[in-house]
Amino acid sequence: MRSIIREFALAGWTTGELAMAIDHRPDGTTWHHTDAVGVRNVGAWLAHRLDAWREAGGTVRQSPGRLAQLAAAERLARARVEREADAAWAASEHPKSPALVAIRAHLAGLPRRTR
């Protein structure tokens, strides 16, 4: 059993992620039988379940938690790039829309409560 889960542990998988991987396929569907009751060779059963979480070459996939971390980091980096681009555009000398200038001037003349 240890040798079967060793590569997953070395790849950073938590025990919770391993428990989830034993009961679910990578697409989120559950196996037909969710436990090992009646299984004669538990090691082969476990290896079969976890093999679904390997790449074609046999290497262990990134853990679901690690994939979530990478996705969050990518979202943060993308948001930072967008903020920087917006700030650069706002700081640049770009032509002002006459309609936008007129709307802002109109709003500036209104009392605060009616805006």
Side-chain angles (χ1 to χ4, degrees), residues 9 16 19-20 23 28 36 41 45 48 63-64 96 112 114:
M20 182 276 311
D23 289 336
N41 185 339
W45 173 85
H48 173 71
S63 72
K96 303 260 192 242
R112 195 86 171 141
T114 61

Side-chain angles (χ1 to χ4, degrees), residues 41-56:
N41 185 339
V42 176
W45 173 85
L46 178 62
H48 173 71
R49 293 273 178 112
L50 292 179
D51 279 348
W53 292 89
R54 293 180 181 274
E55 298 293 340

Side-chain angles (χ1 to χ4, degrees), residues 53-102:
W53 292 89
R54 293 180 181 274
E55 298 293 340
T59 58
V60 173
R61 294 181 182 193
Q62 293 279 344
S63 72
R66 180 66 179 140
L67 290 175
Q69 288 174 340
L70 293 172
E74 184 177 339
R75 282 191 305 274
L76 288 173
R78 195 171 288 156
R80 186 185 71 241
V81 167
E82 288 176 9
R83 279 193 315 272
E84 290 171 356
D86 289 346
W89 186 83
S92 69
E93 292 186 26
H94 52 278
K96 303 260 192 242
S97 161
L100 184 59
V101 170

Side-chain angles (χ1 to χ4, degrees), residues 27-44:
D27 65 2
T29 59
T30 58
W31 293 94
H32 290 296
H33 302 287
T34 58
D35 56 22
V37 173
V39 172
R40 290 184 183 171
N41 185 339
V42 176

